Amino acid sequence: MGAPAFQSKAVAARFAEYDDAIRTRLLELRALIFAIAAENDEIGPIEETLKWNEPAYLNPAGTTIRLNAHKQADDEYAFYVHCQTDLVDRYLQLYGGQLRCEGSRAVIFKRDDGLPTEAVKHCIAMALTYRLN
């Protein structure tokens, strides 16, 4: 699963700062974001930038998704959505047995565990279409 080239040198530089294992996992999430956007005409183009020094993905139809290593554990990484959405509550209702969430914005993964790809793809799609629903 591929993703386009980085849209900015700053984002590419930020990804280069992560350790190899976390970078690989974050790039997997990045590729999913772009793949989902490409599959859904309603989503529109994705803007890739940094917000709070975290890779961030924005589009007019949705809410921002940010990616980062989890600050509380070296072997975890996460994607974040805007805390004033109800997305994390919806994620837990749908995938509480598969996803670990924190607060109202974070979906956290262990670096060495398999990614629950179908659940994560649906969650990303929900974020990228948040304003449409």
Side-chain angles (χ1 to χ4, degrees), residues 5-13 48-50:
F6 290 108
Q7 294 177 7
S8 79
K9 290 180 182 178
V11 173
E48 182 176 47
T49 189
L50 290 179

Side-chain angles (χ1 to χ4, degrees), residues 72-110:
Q72 297 177 2
D74 291 342
D75 67 339
E76 294 180 339
Y77 63 104
F79 78 81
Y80 302 87
V81 295
H82 194 289
C83 62
Q84 292 179 341
T85 69
D86 65 348
L87 285 167
V88 170
D89 287 337
R90 291 166 53 195
Y91 297 165
L92 288 171
Q93 287 173 6
L94 293 168
Y95 303 109
Q98 296 177 57
L99 299 177
R100 185 173 131 228
C101 298
E102 183 177 276
S104 60
R105 65 180 183 185
V107 181
I108 302 165
F109 308 99
K110 288 277 196 190

Side-chain angles (χ1 to χ4, degrees), residues 112-129:
D112 297 330
D113 291 348
L115 188 70
T117 305
E118 292 308 311
V120 171
K121 285 172 64 174
H122 186 216
C123 293
I124 289 171
M126 290 169 64
L128 293 176
T129 60

Side-chain angles (χ1 to χ4, degrees), residues 27-55:
L27 288 171
E28 182 179 3
L29 289 176
R30 179 183 183 268
L32 285 175
I33 291 168
F34 282 102
I36 290 162
E39 293 168 2
N40 186 334
D41 292 337
E42 291 182 310
I43 293 173
I46 299 292
E47 177 188 350
E48 182 176 47
T49 189
L50 290 179
K51 283 192 169 212
W52 301 287
N53 200 35
E54 297 174 348

